[in-house]
Amino acid sequence: MNLKEKFIPANSLNTSVLLLVFNRLDTTKQVFEAIRQAKPPRLYIASDGPRDAIENEHKKVECVRNFILGNVDWECEVKTLFRDKNIGCKLAVSGAITWFFEHEEQGIILEDDCLPSKSFFWYCDELLEKYKDNHKIMHIAGSTYVEKPNNHQEYDYHFARVGGIWGWASWRRSWNLYELEMESYPLAIEENIFDDLFIGEDEIKKLYLDWFKNAYGNTNTWDYQWTYTKIINNSINIMPSKNLIKNIGHGSEQATHTTGEDKKYSDMMLNELNFPLKHPKFFVIDREFNYLNYKFITQMTFKQNILKLIKKILPKFIVDYLKKFKH
């Protein structure tokens, strides 16, 4: 189903939603409107505090908070985690998710620039309940980068290695395993566990090992640690057969980690699913689907490849000089 066909849910949403916001009112309004149409029974709102060094940021942060609180017009229990001081993306986001799961056994997480289709909420709702006692599954993703071309059975989702965090759902039991500081990483490297986890997938293994090496000890990220947690627990995760999330903040100046010129993410189309969902018959990772999405993530544009080559050849000060003129 595409967005031209209106999705009408058969029942009220049962699942709580955590909305992570900061200082972007424009994107927040769009994501909040999607939540407002879904009408979750409980809405958790988490906001990091303004940065002292950024002029007038406290006004932007306050404006976002006031907008949400002033526009919850359905029957809904609202809980807030509004920080006075800025603690940064790593601690603010991971701390908010921990706070959420202290109150909820399961739920949906959305950031202020991750715009969901309407059926995303009911897709999460159904799968959270279906797999709540299956500890092998830790994560339900809302985004899919490449659809499987030969999805003959027309399954509405596939089992994958990890799954993205642009609109997702999970359980307290999964988040309790989260390693913010990747405490077990040195031991995992020492015991070569990734060799056993990625048998026959050397290309994908290299990508994750590069990510984890850069994330270990990193003070400004939380999501690679979540990916690490899922992989070391050898989990099987869920991605929809069609994309249900559009990143509307990708490439903006105010984005924290999604700045850049690559439009392949912001150009992704939103879709709707039909219900009841059609479930995969076999509980195994769909390696073809998984590899297609891996290739999408790693594929770079011609201009990005040229810049990568330049970085290898030219001294850093020349690279920095060229960056000023790349647009």
Side-chain angles (χ1 to χ4, degrees), residues 152-183:
H152 300 307
Q153 300 299 320
E154 297 183 348
Y155 298 135
D156 286 310
Y157 61 94
H158 304 283
F159 294 114
R161 174 73 68 182
V162 176
I165 47 90
W166 289 350
W168 56 289
S170 190
W171 300 265
R172 177 190 295 168
R173 60 164 172 80
S174 300
W175 190 253
N176 283 343
L177 300 173
Y178 178 60
E179 293 191 20
L180 177 62
E181 302 300 340
M182 296 174 60
E183 298 87 352

Side-chain angles (χ1 to χ4, degrees), residues 255-272:
T256 304
H257 296 298
T258 57
T259 56
E261 64 187 23
D262 193 348
K263 294 182 63 180
K264 67 182 180 181
Y265 294 108
S266 54
D267 287 344
M268 289 167 58
M269 301 298 294
L270 278 176
N271 300 277
E272 301 287 9

Side-chain angles (χ1 to χ4, degrees), residues 25-271:
L25 183 59
D26 56 343
T27 61
T28 299
K29 282 183 175 181
Q30 297 179 64
V31 176
F32 177 78
E33 179 58 27
I35 295 172
R36 179 174 171 270
Q37 291 182 24
K39 296 180 172 60
R42 292 172 300 282
L43 176 62
Y44 293 74
I45 312 161
S47 169
D48 198 4
R51 294 164 291 186
D52 293 334
I54 307 298
E55 186 178 0
N56 294 324
E57 187 167 73
H58 68 285
K59 293 181 179 178
K60 293 181 179 180
V61 170
E62 185 178 0
C63 187
V64 168
R65 296 175 179 181
N66 290 339
F67 168 79
I68 298 172
L69 294 178
N71 285 279
V72 179
D73 58 359
W74 70 97
E75 188 174 342
C76 177
E77 181 182 353
V78 177
K79 295 182 182 292
T80 60
L81 178 61
F82 291 166
R83 301 188 186 277
D84 295 325
K85 299 292 185 180
N86 186 276
I87 60 174
C89 179
K90 177 180 179 178
L91 296 178
V93 175
S94 62
I97 299 171
T98 298
W99 166 70
F100 180 51
F101 285 122
E102 286 171 352
H103 293 86
E104 300 286 339
E105 289 285 348
Q106 57 195 42
I108 296 168
I109 297 98
L110 282 166
E111 296 186 55
D112 61 1
D113 59 356
C114 298
L115 180 66
S117 63
K118 192 168 185 179
S119 62
F120 162 78
F121 296 95
W122 279 266
Y123 151 84
C124 292
D125 198 58
E126 181 172 334
L127 296 182
L128 282 169
E129 192 62 26
K130 178 176 176 63
Y131 293 108
K132 66 180 181 181
D133 296 321
N134 188 332
H135 288 218
K136 189 69 175 174
I137 295 181
M138 295 177 61
H139 180 105
I140 301 167
S143 55
T144 281
Y145 311 114
V146 181
E147 296 180 17
K148 187 175 180 180
N150 56 341
N151 184 16
H152 300 307
Q153 300 299 320
E154 297 183 348
Y155 298 135
D156 286 310
Y157 61 94
H158 304 283
F159 294 114
R161 174 73 68 182
V162 176
I165 47 90
W166 289 350
W168 56 289
S170 190
W171 300 265
R172 177 190 295 168
R173 60 164 172 80
S174 300
W175 190 253
N176 283 343
L177 300 173
Y178 178 60
E179 293 191 20
L180 177 62
E181 302 300 340
M182 296 174 60
E183 298 87 352
S184 65
Y185 174 71
L187 182 61
I189 293 298
E190 180 183 340
E191 296 192 0
N192 298 313
I193 68 163
F194 299 103
D195 291 344
D196 295 328
L197 291 172
F198 291 95
I199 296 175
E201 297 178 306
D202 290 345
E203 190 177 354
I204 297 177
K205 179 181 73 174
K206 183 181 183 305
L207 172 69
Y208 285 123
L209 285 176
D210 287 344
W211 282 359
F212 299 155
K213 181 179 179 181
N214 292 330
Y216 183 63
N218 192 310
T219 60
N220 196 38
T221 186
W222 70 272
D223 51 343
Y224 290 122
Q225 294 93 314
W226 178 228
T227 297
Y228 171 79
T229 299
K230 288 180 287 183
I231 286 180
I232 63 169
N233 284 281
N234 199 21
S235 64
I236 294 177
N237 300 284
I238 293 172
M239 293 176 68
S241 60
K242 299 178 183 297
N243 182 53
L244 307 178
I245 300 289
K246 182 178 178 65
N247 190 303
I248 56 176
H250 200 282
S252 71
E253 293 182 358
Q254 289 180 298
T256 304
H257 296 298
T258 57
T259 56
E261 64 187 23
D262 193 348
K263 294 182 63 180
K264 67 182 180 181
Y265 294 108
S266 54
D267 287 344
M268 289 167 58
M269 301 298 294
L270 278 176
N271 300 277

